[in-house]
Amino acid sequence: MPASKTTEGGESWYLSDISPADKPWDIHRAQSDEIAKIYDLIGYDRYAERIGECAEWLTYALQAKDDGEVKLRLRDARFCRVRHCLICQWRKSLMWRARFFKALPEIQKAFPTGRWIFVTLTVKNCELSELRVTLTWMNAAWQRLTQRKVFPALGFIKSVEVTRGIDGTAHPHFHCLMLVPAGYFTRGYISHAKWQELWQSCLKTDYSPIVDVRVVKSKTTSSNDGLDASNDAMAEAVCETLKYAVKPSDLLADPHWLDELTKQLQKTRTISIGGCLKKFFSEDDPEDLINGEIEEEEKAETESFVTFDWSTIAQRYKKNSE
Ligand SMILES: [Zn+2]
């Protein structure tokens, strides 16, 4: 997060030395270089070019406060928005998490006795070439599930994750964060076995799919500002739900896999929000990939700007000397 003390007067010109909290920029940008190379290799010239130019520079505000403390805060950058760009994927997950924690106090105010459960719904691995039809089928099953009388959620956030099997197959699954009424644990409780049975009947499979159900024990049930939640099980479930759709190591593992995955996931939706949670998140909001941080902005006394450029040689962001 671009909000840490800088080592004023220090020797280094590198962003991650000046602001260690910004080290993820180096990591994700280096991975973007790798994926750009792979895209170039498999004939996606335009993607390669766009990803190569993603976040080539970062402009930060240097905020000096009364007490002399200096903070770095990201002010401007250009993102390529290619689906599998590792920088954009990371920024998107940060943005979604920030949006969620910003909305959480409002949600808790509207549903003070509501509880959260975290459900993962899976199917057997499929051939990568079957991924798109498999996701269509899973989404239809999800639709059926939400229409069942026993479906307990007042609202939900659902995301799609695809992992790569060691044999090159695809393992698509849903992560679902559900807001359930307090009565779920007394009257409407669904056991693990029952969840499995339900998901199977919605999928209409002859096998019992793997399902994982967890109660999200949040200590933040009443008067809080949502930020407390960053330490507890809630944050863990949110991070798991609102993370990447495909993990970086899987994207980088095999060019042919990436090629087919890119085709299969074209124009598919990763995150969907339903029920009572819809009104807290507008899905049409323009995606703000710059302000992906949870913390509140503090008022700065003075502000100046500093730009860091990506150095493909150093594989680090370096202060622009001009
Ligand atoms: Zn990008």
Side-chain angles (χ1 to χ4, degrees):
M1 288 167 213
S4 63
K5 276 187 182 177
T6 61
T7 50
E8 279 292 281
E11 297 296 303
S12 181
W13 285 63
Y14 293 109
L15 172 64
S16 51
D17 289 335
I18 297 168
S19 170
D22 281 310
K23 191 161 177 50
W25 279 106
D26 287 343
I27 297 166
H28 297 290
R29 190 61 188 78
Q31 287 175 330
S32 277
D33 272 358
E34 277 185 67
I35 209 145
K37 265 186 225 149
I38 300 173
Y39 269 136
D40 189 46
L41 195 76
I42 57 179
Y44 292 74
D45 307 1
R46 191 70 195 110
Y47 279 4
E49 196 182 317
R50 280 170 62 192
I51 295 173
E53 290 168 0
C54 184
E56 273 189 306
W57 46 266
L58 306 170
T59 296
Y60 284 85
L62 268 177
Q63 299 179 335
K65 290 193 295 177
D66 269 352
D67 59 3
E69 194 190 349
V70 177
K71 280 188 168 187
L72 276 187
R73 197 174 288 276
L74 186 63
R75 278 286 183 258
D76 198 13
R78 292 284 175 272
F79 298 99
C80 72
R81 293 171 193 271
V82 172
R83 173 75 170 264
H84 302 297
C85 167
L86 277 309
I87 282 268
C88 290
Q89 169 167 296
W90 165 58
R91 298 309 293 176
K92 268 183 205 168
S93 72
L94 287 184
M95 173 208 68
W96 271 103
R97 287 172 201 178
R99 284 180 75 185
F100 181 86
F101 283 112
K102 206 173 154 211
L104 189 57
E106 284 298 310
I107 298 169
Q108 285 172 333
K109 215 158 98 189
F111 303 94
T113 61
R115 301 279 301 275
W116 297 88
I117 58 172
F118 180 56
V119 180
T120 302
L121 303 168
T122 79
V123 295
K124 278 185 180 168
N125 287 24
C126 64
E127 290 302 324
L128 185 56
S129 58
E130 302 283 306
L131 179 59
R132 182 179 283 272
V133 288
T134 304
L135 286 172
T136 305
W137 161 56
M138 288 173 73
N139 279 317
W142 168 261
Q143 199 61 32
R144 282 192 283 276
L145 178 68
T146 59
Q147 283 159 7
R148 291 286 174 93
K149 259 204 184 99
V150 293
F151 185 68
L154 302 166
F156 61 81
I157 298 182
K158 162 181 156 284
S159 68
V160 178
E161 185 182 356
V162 180
T163 50
R164 180 178 176 273
I166 39 169
D167 54 358
T169 55
H171 180 55
H173 49 283
F174 292 158
H175 293 300
C176 316
L177 190 57
M178 303 183 190
L179 178 66
V180 295
Y184 171 79
F185 294 96
T186 49
R187 297 182 298 279
Y189 186 70
I190 303 176
S191 66
H192 177 262
K194 184 70 190 157
W195 269 110
Q196 205 164 15
E197 217 176 276
L198 251 175
W199 182 231
Q200 179 177 1
S201 83
C202 292
L203 286 168
K204 301 177 180 166
T205 52
D206 54 8
Y207 65 88
S208 193
I210 293 170
V211 165
D212 188 82
V213 187
R214 283 156 208 230
V215 177
V216 181
K217 289 198 183 75
S218 174
K219 64 182 181 213
T220 57
T221 46
S222 57
S223 62
N224 63 78
D225 58 8
L227 298 178
D228 299 349
S230 56
N231 299 321
D232 67 7
M234 186 73 204
E236 222 172 278
V238 169
C239 287
E240 191 64 16
T241 309
L242 300 174
K243 62 176 185 186
Y244 46 70
V246 185
K247 67 169 179 257
S249 58
D250 282 353
L251 290 172
L252 298 169
D254 172 7
H256 300 294
W257 202 81
L258 177 65
D259 182 10
E260 187 60 30
L261 181 88
T262 302
K263 288 173 183 144
Q264 293 288 323
L265 288 184
Q266 204 119 52
K267 294 197 162 63
T268 59
R269 175 182 283 260
T270 308
I271 292 168
S272 48
I273 296 170
C276 71
L277 294 184
K278 253 188 174 159
K279 64 170 179 281
F280 296 96
F281 303 92
S282 162
E283 287 177 78
D284 303 324
D285 272 357
E287 289 184 324
D288 176 0
L289 301 186
I290 291 177
N291 296 301
E293 317 300 338
I294 295 169
E295 60 196 300
E296 286 295 311
E297 180 127 1
E298 289 167 43
K299 199 174 175 329
E301 295 306 319
T302 58
E303 192 165 279
S304 60
F305 295 94
V306 55
T307 294
F308 294 86
D309 297 318
W310 176 243
S311 161
T312 43
I313 298 157
Q315 294 280 286
R316 297 177 81 181
Y317 279 95
K318 198 176 174 192
K319 202 193 264 178
N320 187 315
S321 51
E322 286 161 29

